[in-house]
Amino acid sequence: MRRLWNLYLRPRTVPEALRAIHEAPQPAAFIAGGTDLLLDIETGRHPRPHTLVDVTDVDELQALEVRGDRLFVGAAVPVARVAASPLVRTHAQALAEACALIAGPQVRNLATLGGNVAHALPAADGTIALVALDAQAEVASPRGRRRVPLETLFLGPGRSALGHDELLVGFYLPLARPGQASAFRRVMRPQGVALPILNAAVWLRREGDRVADVGIAMGPSGPVPRRLRATEAALRGHALTPERVAAAKEALLREARFRTSKFRASETYRRLLAGVLLEEALQTAWARAGTA
Amino acid sequence: MTSSPEFREITLTVNGREHRVRIAPGETLAYLLRERLGLTGTKIGCEEAECGACTVEVDGEPVVSCIFPAEKAHGRHVLTIEGLARDENGHLVLHPLQQAFVEHGAVQCGFCIPGQIMTAHALLRHNPEPSREDIRHALKDTLCRCGGYPSIESAIQAAARALREGTPVPRPEIPPSIRAGRVVGRPRPRPDAVDKVTGRAIFTDDLKFPGMLYARVLRAEVPHGILRGLDVSQARQMPGVHAVLTAEDLPAARTHGLIVSDWPILVGVGERIRYVGDALAIVAADTPDRAEEALAAIRVDIEELPPLTDPVQALQPDAPRLHEGGNLLKHIKVRKGDVEAGFAQADVVLEHTFHTPIYEHAFLEPECSIAVPQPDGSMYVYVGSQIPYADRRQVAAALGLPEEKVRIVGQHMGGGFGGKEDIAGQIHAALLAQATGRPVKLLFSRRESMMVHPKRHATQIRVRIGAKKDGRLVAVQTELYGDTGAYASLGEKVMTRATTHSAGPYEVPHVKADCYAVYTNNPPAGAFRGFGVTQSAFAIESMMDMLAHALGMDPVEIRRKNALREGSVTSTGQVLREGVGLLECIEKVEAEMRRLSDGQDPFRPRRVPGKPHLVRAWGFAVAFKNTGLGGGAPDQSTVEVELLPEGVLEVRTSAAELGQGLVAVLQLIAAEETGLGPDRVRVLVMDTGRTPDGGPTTASRQTAVTGNAARLAAQGLLKAVQAWASEYYDCPPEAVAFRGDALVAGDRTVALPHLVQAMRDAGLEPRTRFTYHAPETRPLGQPGDMHFAFSFAAQAAEVEVNTRTGEVRVLRVISANDVGMAVNPLGLKGQIEGGVAMGIGTALTERFIVENGRVVTDRLARYRIPSIVHMPEEVHPIVVEHPARGGPYGAKGVGEIVSIPTAPAITNAIYHAVGVRVDRLPVDQEVLLLALTTR
Ligand SMILES: Cc1cc2nc3c(=O)[nH]c(=O)nc-3n(C[C@@H](O)[C@@H](O)[C@H](O)COP(=O)(O)OP(=O)(O)OC[C@H]3O[C@@H](n4cnc5c(N)ncnc54)[C@H](O)[C@@H]3O)c2cc1C
Ligand code: FES
Ligand code: FES
């Protein structure tokens, strides 16, 4: 056994957690499931902390409920619960699908959505779904609470914009109304790391044969998870005809910045897959919206 | 780094019992369970949340305990494998899942089994009637390298039914051998299965000794260089550090090796570093952490040299010489007829080059050795090893002790597959134990395991093949370059097998094969299930399909036409007199494949209705594999059987149980021969202090060689008992026999303890020992039999290629294997499933990456072994039994043949589906898609 930390704290409330991260012997870091963090510490990608502040006992971060016109998913809700939640399946199917694809149950019961976002990988499955679903994140810090669009939380691959003392409390998602649906799709490689070669999440609002509104995210399509707005624009307000889909694919290839990841996938391969994934996720969401 | 641990006390409930435990900071739940509570049923395979072996339930949900902070378990309820079975009045009552795993043969090496059962337990809690998809979804990341996934699946379903209906666990239907005896050839759970499903089975890392120290090894981490300086003075001063040893401290031998002693135990200053895993210094400290810190305090000065990373490059005249004798370990030649004359007669000649990469065994149990010095100056080494007597020889040489002063005490082994034949930590642990006078444990981290132990040879194979218009082969020429890495290990033997099998299981009049086994600065390569034949079978079986295509022939037909049969002469000039079941394997697989294809040509692409981008087709491949060492090597095994006072027949041999099921085979044989019930037979293996030499557990030889020794030893014992008892009880010897758990002599029934006592009183030990010598073989190049038996196989695989993404799925596999005789049909089923699983890994999931001599794939997260989701919907096993004259009841090797044809069957199927020929393993979906789109 390797010793990866010296002090482990389990606060019960947000203020306690914020105090702990501030006052505990430094360096200190938040930990949720540890499925990214502990392996990062072990391999030296993350500096070895003195204190770990476990956020999974904070009730507020464990909530999963409808709040007003939004669905709230606590940052420390394990992705297993997200995947199985009828609420999430109803309002954010892409998110449920993404979370169901993460690892096996013994990891899914630990891994959290907050950790998935805070780890800031450009192709994290849960994160990509949240981005397409236009999620907002609630962030707590000693300076107060704020609610921000998810996209603002990322600086670069593996680099979160969250400050060291900033805690993700949870995510707010719009409730699905009739005609709205989402879908998630990814391609893995059987060899090598458990990161998708490419994933895609699509949310849309369907009015008759028209795409009234749409949100699209794909990872990795750049250094940070983000919406593909030009691709969305190519679809928004139009009927979903083969020509429109083709136009969206073209926009996608112009807009996204696919790159080669060594041992994983070449840019060329990703470009070939991008259109396929976009179309498959789009068609699935479209069909679902028709019955929603 | 701060190292004053502030202990904390936590309270948790484990398996219904409340515990207050003092834990150190940084502890994981797995550590707490194993080290503080002694619940070693929870296994650690990776410590990276990747394998699932450490799965336990916390508050009813499964979690990986290897990354679960112990502090987080405070106030929680934990359920481990030890908490499933019940004790009813001193009687062990297994949980239905445990019972089902035992009955369905889902248990092989057993290392993954606690994790499998706990994951399944949690699944059934939520879902009492899981579908196959539910099971696959739940077990997706609970890896089993023995690959018994189909049996695991059926066990879970059986247990679910038993739980739902409150009925006993339904048994699987497994046909007996066509030559079944009273017990041999009939399905029966293996004797160690119950221990393995309850977590009671002890693997090396589960052992603890008073005063035990923890060792770590400083690795070079540089593929090629000269060690210029090594300063261990600071490390030696550190508190808690008991010994730091370098090459200067070696008391005796400086190198080890199974055949060639070319592997430095520790690289000395001024000496050459040949790969990243070379050991420079070893440390023993009172905790693993302290040992690690000591490593960090050692100062190393290495002059780095450019690494040789490719065998062809290493044979260039200007390449640096890695070993004194140069870089060519061996040039292996096979000659039959006149190959050029053969090609001159051919109507078609094809030539192609194939590449197979390094493969990693990825047994789920990382290497672990514990050396324990004895008061009389001898040394015990506890280790799971495939060749205990070779360990003994090498450890003794390193310690400077006579061999009798070293005892290898084998433990349950969590998989081997050839990767536990060489020395791993045995010598280092023993040196440290000798230096400190205390027990020393050396457990490899997963990274170390992946970096250090010998792998499968990466091989480049050029095949030239000539045939007549009707498909009859006239000439095959092959040229192989095998990358044996830094050290010889078993490289010469492995590449010899690759070469002699490189023309496939076909009768070819003219054969010329040349193989160069070459040293490089890559990790060493040695034995790996298939022993070189995996590589050459991929090449020749791909080539046979290309030939069939060129001739417009059916892929099955061309194989049938050329298949070895009784009377055939192999490439090495051996006349096959009996036991050649290849044609039957081909026919049975073909019939099943055509049946499943509903009368359509199985080799024609079929689009999935409604999803035209998914294209399916079948592929076919065959193989053969020698049983036994062969090539003139004396191949013998000794077995001792003894009736013990407690009324048990003990069968003793040093042969190794790595999960393959040898203990079950020996149990059945001894029971069969004596007439005792199998439950009266106990098998003890792998202990050089108590078991005679069974020879190496390699080359699929143990069922045949040690099986025979057990058969003859048991017969000898029966005869001795009959002779004595007929006099003592005054009846004819024919009237003396064992029946179940007693001896019957005339009209008397004698309990076994009585019998033992009576014989001992008469001054007789009820014990016999038999050394069986396998039929003599001849070295390559000399006339006569190179091997005393061969196993044969045919497989068909149906794949589905996604032409939009390049993704490949294996849908169904049919696997027929001529194993001579199925001594243990339940175990054979597991071997067949595991062979297919491993073959799928070879074809699709496993890619070991070494870049400039450095191992990139140094964790399970980077090197993917097949999971249950990669398994086909169906593995259809077919057992073919063409007995070998020498084998017990005709049995021959099983362990390797079952895995060899899978990869080429898959790549041939890909070709039939989409017309892309894969000539480089593993299949790369990206390359496949690019080939599809640029056409
Ligand atoms: C075997 C395996 C397979 C996997 N497969 C996939 C996959 O297919 N797809 C995928 O996307 N991911 C996958 N993952 C990664 C996935 O488990 C993680 O991304 C997970 O979601 C991270 O959550 P966590 O709770 O474990 O985070 P942790 O490891 O605890 O934390 C990660 C980071 O987030 C920070 N953090 C955590 N919670 C908060 C918070 N509330 N506020 C602020 N900062 C916080 C931590 O300080 C740390 O920097 C896999 C992991 C494993 C081990
Ligand atoms: S040991 Fe925990 S997942 Fe492998
Ligand atoms: S039985 Fe599963 S790893 Fe051996």
Side-chain angles (χ1 to χ4, degrees):
Chain A
M1 188 207 53
R2 345 120 273 187
R3 174 133 34 89
L4 303 181
W5 66 89
N6 284 14
L7 184 61
Y8 197 86
L9 302 175
R10 290 173 64 182
R12 311 297 302 247
T13 65
V14 168
E16 268 177 46
L18 294 176
R19 206 171 321 117
I21 201 80
H22 217 69
E23 292 170 5
Q26 302 291 320
F30 289 123
I31 180 169
T35 64
D36 278 328
L37 181 64
L38 294 180
L39 304 181
D40 279 359
I41 299 173
E42 220 256 316
T43 52
R45 279 185 303 238
H46 189 291
R48 187 181 170 281
H50 185 97
T51 308
L52 288 178
V53 179
D54 184 331
V55 300
T56 58
D57 289 323
V58 178
D59 285 343
E60 204 181 336
L61 272 66
Q62 288 288 356
L64 204 176
E65 64 202 10
V66 173
R67 292 185 180 170
D69 63 346
R70 297 257 157 176
L71 174 66
F72 177 80
V73 184
V77 176
V79 294
R81 241 179 88 204
V82 178
S85 155
L87 278 178
V88 179
R89 287 182 181 201
T90 307
H91 295 291
Q93 194 158 359
L95 181 62
E97 286 174 336
C99 288
L101 289 171
I102 294 175
Q106 55 277 72
V107 168
R108 280 200 294 275
N109 282 322
L110 298 176
T112 67
L113 205 49
N116 199 260
V117 169
H119 199 233
L121 288 186
D125 290 314
T127 306
I128 288 297
L130 284 174
V131 169
L133 288 162
D134 200 26
Q136 294 188 326
E138 177 160 309
V139 179
S141 77
R143 299 165 292 284
R145 293 206 183 198
R146 59 198 170 99
R147 216 193 265 192
V148 297
L150 205 76
E151 277 177 292
T152 61
L153 291 180
F154 311 106
L155 295 179
R159 285 176 55 227
S160 163
L162 290 168
H164 147 266
D165 61 355
E166 287 188 309
L167 177 71
L168 275 171
V169 178
F171 306 97
Y172 285 93
L173 295 156
L175 295 184
R177 316 237 168 265
Q180 299 180 2
S182 62
F184 186 87
R185 169 94 171 91
R186 75 175 187 187
V187 171
M188 301 282 283
R189 167 197 268 292
Q191 309 101 10
V193 287
L195 278 175
I197 288 175
L198 202 64
N199 59 14
V202 171
W203 168 90
L204 57 78
R205 179 155 59 83
R206 176 174 174 175
E207 279 173 10
D209 65 351
R210 235 165 39 91
V211 180
D213 196 4
V214 60
I216 298 173
M218 209 175 255
S221 64
V224 295
R226 60 179 179 135
R227 292 267 294 272
L228 294 162
R229 294 207 159 67
T231 312
E232 293 171 2
L235 292 164
R236 195 173 286 118
H238 296 280
L240 196 66
T241 58
E243 296 72 40
R244 264 302 123 197
V245 173
K249 285 186 187 176
E250 269 173 40
L252 170 67
L253 291 181
R254 272 196 308 274
E255 173 178 30
R257 281 193 283 143
F258 296 116
R259 53 176 194 91
T260 297
S261 329
K262 204 165 168 195
F263 305 131
R264 237 167 12 107
S266 71
E267 181 193 338
T268 317
Y269 186 42
R270 286 199 164 115
R271 291 180 70 85
L272 284 171
L273 290 181
V276 174
L277 286 191
L278 175 67
E279 179 159 3
E280 288 182 359
L282 196 58
Q283 296 293 3
T284 308
W286 179 255
R288 286 177 183 164
T291 58
Chain B
M1 189 180 283
T2 355
S3 55
S4 67
E6 304 146 48
F7 280 85
R8 280 179 34 132
E9 193 172 88
I10 64 164
T11 312
L12 75 170
T13 307
V14 181
N15 301 332
R17 257 190 67 196
E18 194 175 286
H19 293 269
R20 296 164 78 89
V21 207
R22 273 163 57 78
I23 57 164
E27 233 169 88
T28 60
L29 177 58
Y31 184 89
L32 182 156
L33 293 169
R34 292 177 50 81
E35 304 293 324
R36 305 229 179 258
L37 301 181
L39 295 172
T40 54
T42 299
K43 298 298 173 211
I44 296 189
C46 68
E47 288 200 293
E48 43 165 318
E50 204 58 43
C51 74
C54 63
T55 302
V56 300
E57 281 181 23
V58 174
D59 291 343
E61 298 294 344
V63 299
V64 280
S65 62
C66 68
I67 59 154
F68 193 95
E71 278 102 330
K72 197 169 163 163
H74 176 66
R76 301 269 179 91
H77 285 257
V78 179
L79 182 68
T80 73
I81 189 72
E82 289 93 345
L84 288 191
R86 281 179 296 123
D87 186 327
E88 269 178 19
N89 314 321
H91 223 77
L92 181 78
V93 182
L94 295 179
H95 183 279
L97 269 169
Q98 293 172 312
Q99 188 68 34
F101 269 64
V102 170
E103 303 266 356
H104 284 247
V107 179
Q108 297 189 41
C109 81
F111 198 78
C112 74
I113 295 300
Q116 305 286 358
I117 292 180
M118 294 313 295
T119 314
H121 186 258
L123 167 70
L124 297 189
R125 189 194 285 278
H126 295 290
N127 181 353
E129 199 169 353
S131 67
R132 163 185 280 170
E133 280 62 45
D134 297 336
I135 294 177
R136 290 187 171 209
H137 189 63
L139 268 70
K140 173 179 166 210
D141 274 9
T142 312
L143 301 175
C144 176
R145 185 51 154 170
C146 299
Y149 294 121
S151 294
I152 291 176
E153 218 167 81
S154 67
I156 294 173
Q157 250 146 2
R161 211 173 104 194
L163 280 163
R164 280 197 312 273
E165 300 173 1
T167 49
V169 171
R171 297 224 165 126
E173 273 170 41
I174 293 172
S177 161
I178 53 173
R179 259 183 296 284
R182 194 174 49 83
V183 286
V184 292
R186 302 192 182 277
R188 188 187 161 81
R190 44 190 296 156
D192 53 8
V194 170
D195 279 351
K196 287 175 174 174
V197 297
T198 51
R200 292 192 304 204
I202 296 296
F203 295 80
T204 311
D205 186 36
D206 302 338
L207 292 170
K208 252 195 205 170
F209 293 88
M212 189 169 82
L213 302 174
Y214 297 84
R216 298 289 292 147
V217 182
L218 183 68
R219 306 281 171 190
E221 305 280 350
V222 163
H224 190 200
I226 306 292
L227 182 62
R228 288 298 173 205
L230 193 62
D231 180 359
V232 297
S233 51
Q234 198 191 330
R236 283 196 170 130
Q237 305 298 315
M238 293 171 65
V241 173
H242 290 255
V244 181
L245 304 181
T246 70
E248 285 179 14
D249 307 307
L250 290 175
R254 302 184 64 82
T255 55
H256 64 83
L258 280 170
I259 297 172
V260 188
S261 189
D262 62 354
W263 194 331
I265 293 169
L266 287 163
V267 176
V269 173
E271 293 177 352
R272 188 179 295 271
I273 288 164
R274 299 187 183 86
Y275 89 114
V276 285
D278 268 336
L280 309 182
I282 48 180
V283 173
D286 50 14
T287 68
D289 259 7
R290 286 221 161 101
E292 193 77 51
E293 286 168 27
L295 286 193
I298 298 175
R299 279 212 290 281
V300 186
D301 179 12
I302 296 173
E303 177 191 336
E304 272 201 57
L305 298 170
L308 286 176
T309 57
D310 174 274
V312 178
Q313 166 207 9
L315 285 185
Q316 299 303 311
D318 58 341
R321 291 159 74 89
L322 299 181
H323 289 272
E324 247 166 52
N327 296 341
L328 182 65
L329 170 63
K330 187 83 180 174
H331 175 189
I332 300 143
K333 298 180 210 167
V334 173
R335 302 287 184 264
K336 179 187 179 191
D338 176 346
V339 83
E340 285 313 326
F343 282 119
Q345 298 162 23
D347 295 320
V348 192
V349 175
L350 298 180
E351 185 178 323
H352 200 88
T353 301
F354 300 88
H355 296 265
T356 67
I358 297 175
Y359 286 94
E360 152 70 29
H361 305 80
F363 30 73
L364 274 196
E365 177 208 28
E367 296 89 333
C368 186
S369 299
I370 305 178
V372 184
Q374 302 299 310
D376 66 353
S378 65
M379 183 68 71
Y380 287 8
V381 181
Y382 296 78
V383 63
S385 159
Q386 290 185 240
I387 325 181
Y389 276 88
D391 286 8
R392 185 175 81 156
R393 172 176 61 75
Q394 297 176 87
V395 171
L399 298 183
L401 291 176
E403 289 191 23
E404 310 76 64
K405 287 278 189 190
V406 174
R407 175 175 168 197
I408 306 296
V409 193
Q411 302 301 309
H412 280 304
M413 212 184 301
F417 313 109
K420 289 178 180 167
E421 299 192 17
D422 298 83
I423 286 291
Q426 294 92 322
I427 291 178
H428 290 154
L431 286 168
L432 288 164
Q434 191 181 48
T436 59
R438 289 172 59 167
V440 174
K441 177 188 276 189
L442 173 51
L443 168 68
F444 279 14
S445 66
R446 177 54 67 180
R447 173 170 188 270
E448 197 168 23
S449 175
M450 297 189 78
M451 196 166 86
V452 172
H453 73 243
K455 324 247 163 264
R456 179 178 284 154
H457 289 73
T459 309
Q460 172 186 316
I461 308 170
R462 186 166 62 84
V463 186
R464 196 171 157 222
I465 197 164
K468 300 299 265 184
K469 269 202 218 80
D470 67 356
R472 200 156 283 285
L473 295 176
V474 286
V476 173
Q477 183 178 1
T478 58
E479 187 184 60
L480 299 85
Y481 285 87
D483 179 354
T484 208
Y487 300 108
S489 175
L490 290 167
E492 176 192 335
K493 302 281 177 210
V494 172
M495 291 322 292
T496 300
R497 229 56 84 225
T499 317
T500 57
H501 288 67
S502 65
Y506 304 113
E507 175 145 26
V508 189
H510 306 285
V511 177
K512 181 170 189 262
D514 288 275
C515 173
Y516 307 89
V518 188
Y519 287 116
T520 66
N521 293 115
N522 291 326
F528 191 151
R529 194 182 203 178
F531 216 77
V533 184
T534 309
Q535 293 95 309
S536 46
F538 169 66
I540 190 70
E541 285 305 288
S542 301
M543 205 64 188
M544 286 301 279
D545 255 38
M546 292 161 78
L547 184 63
H549 185 75
L551 292 167
M553 273 181 84
D554 180 87
V556 179
E557 192 46 39
I558 198 165
R559 288 177 169 89
R560 184 171 15 238
K561 205 161 222 161
N562 293 289
L564 290 172
R565 57 202 78 199
E566 263 145 49
S568 293
V569 182
T570 67
S571 300
T572 66
Q574 174 167 356
V575 182
L576 299 176
R577 287 177 298 273
E578 88 279 310
V580 191
L582 180 57
L583 280 173
E584 189 180 333
C585 289
I586 292 176
E587 257 134 45
K588 292 208 155 139
V589 172
E590 183 187 25
E592 180 64 12
M593 175 178 67
R594 296 209 191 272
R595 190 182 71 76
L596 293 173
S597 307
D598 295 325
Q600 291 175 9
D601 181 352
F603 304 117
R604 274 257 139 95
R606 279 163 293 121
R607 292 183 185 275
V608 174
K611 293 179 181 162
H613 60 289
L614 302 178
V615 187
R616 297 177 172 179
W618 285 86
F620 199 88
V622 298
F624 73 142
K625 174 72 184 60
N626 61 293
T627 297
L629 302 176
D635 198 349
Q636 67 193 47
S637 173
T638 305
V639 168
E640 191 167 72
V641 295
E642 179 174 5
L643 266 176
L644 302 179
E646 67 255 43
V648 164
L649 180 75
E650 189 169 75
V651 180
R652 296 191 286 260
T653 175
S654 81
E657 171 57 53
L658 27 143
Q660 85 281 36
L662 179 70
V663 291
V665 164
L666 298 181
Q667 179 199 38
L668 294 176
I669 291 176
E672 180 77 25
E673 294 302 327
T674 54
L676 286 166
D679 54 340
R680 295 286 94 204
V681 178
R682 182 165 79 205
V683 181
L684 180 73
V685 289
M686 307 189 277
D687 182 340
T688 63
R690 295 195 53 213
T691 61
D693 193 352
T697 300
T698 186
S700 304
R701 63 182 282 280
Q702 289 298 15
T703 294
V705 184
T706 299
N708 256 329
R711 187 174 63 94
L712 295 163
Q715 284 175 1
L717 181 82
L718 178 64
K719 283 221 180 70
V721 169
Q722 279 171 331
W724 177 83
S726 68
E727 238 175 72
Y728 190 82
Y729 298 110
D730 194 20
C731 60
E734 312 85 67
V736 179
F738 289 107
R739 293 255 186 285
D741 59 357
L743 183 80
V744 176
D747 45 15
R748 308 177 53 139
T749 300
V750 189
L752 295 181
H754 259 95
L755 170 69
V756 175
Q757 195 55 50
M759 284 183 81
R760 286 194 170 169
D761 288 348
L764 282 172
E765 286 296 333
R767 178 169 68 211
T768 53
R769 185 185 262 246
F770 194 94
T771 300
Y772 173 75
H773 298 266
E776 202 184 322
T777 58
R778 309 290 299 163
L780 177 58
Q782 291 187 17
D785 291 355
M786 190 171 168
H787 294 287
F788 64 80
F790 291 94
S791 302
F792 297 88
Q795 287 192 20
E798 187 190 24
V799 305
E800 177 181 287
V801 180
N802 183 330
T803 56
R804 288 181 184 161
T805 62
E807 289 166 295
V808 176
R809 274 200 320 142
V810 181
L811 303 174
R812 290 184 282 201
V813 173
I814 307 160
S815 170
N817 298 276
D818 169 21
V819 299
M821 190 266 189
V823 178
N824 171 15
L826 188 60
L828 178 57
K829 177 170 178 281
Q831 285 285 303
I832 292 176
E833 292 168 359
V836 168
M838 206 169 251
I840 289 173
T842 305
L844 299 181
T845 74
E846 298 179 35
R847 182 164 171 235
F848 196 84
I849 304 172
V850 181
E851 201 182 25
N852 293 323
R854 287 185 161 82
V855 177
V856 175
T857 42
D858 61 354
R859 13 192 82 234
L860 287 186
R862 299 197 184 135
Y863 186 79
R864 304 232 135 227
I865 60 173
S867 122
I868 196 166
V869 297
H870 298 108
M871 288 304 283
E873 286 152 27
E874 188 186 342
V875 176
H876 184 91
I878 297 171
V879 178
V880 170
E881 303 180 273
H882 285 236
R885 203 184 300 153
Y889 324 102
K892 46 199 184 186
V894 172
E896 300 176 281
I897 189 68
V898 292
S899 74
I900 296 170
T902 315
I906 291 171
T907 53
N908 286 340
I910 292 173
Y911 181 80
H912 295 139
V914 295
V916 178
R917 171 57 55 193
V918 174
D919 55 14
R920 195 179 275 276
L921 290 176
V923 176
D924 186 324
Q925 67 193 41
E926 167 169 346
V927 172
L928 196 57
L929 187 67
L930 292 179
L932 286 175
T933 46
T934 52
R935 245 201 330 231

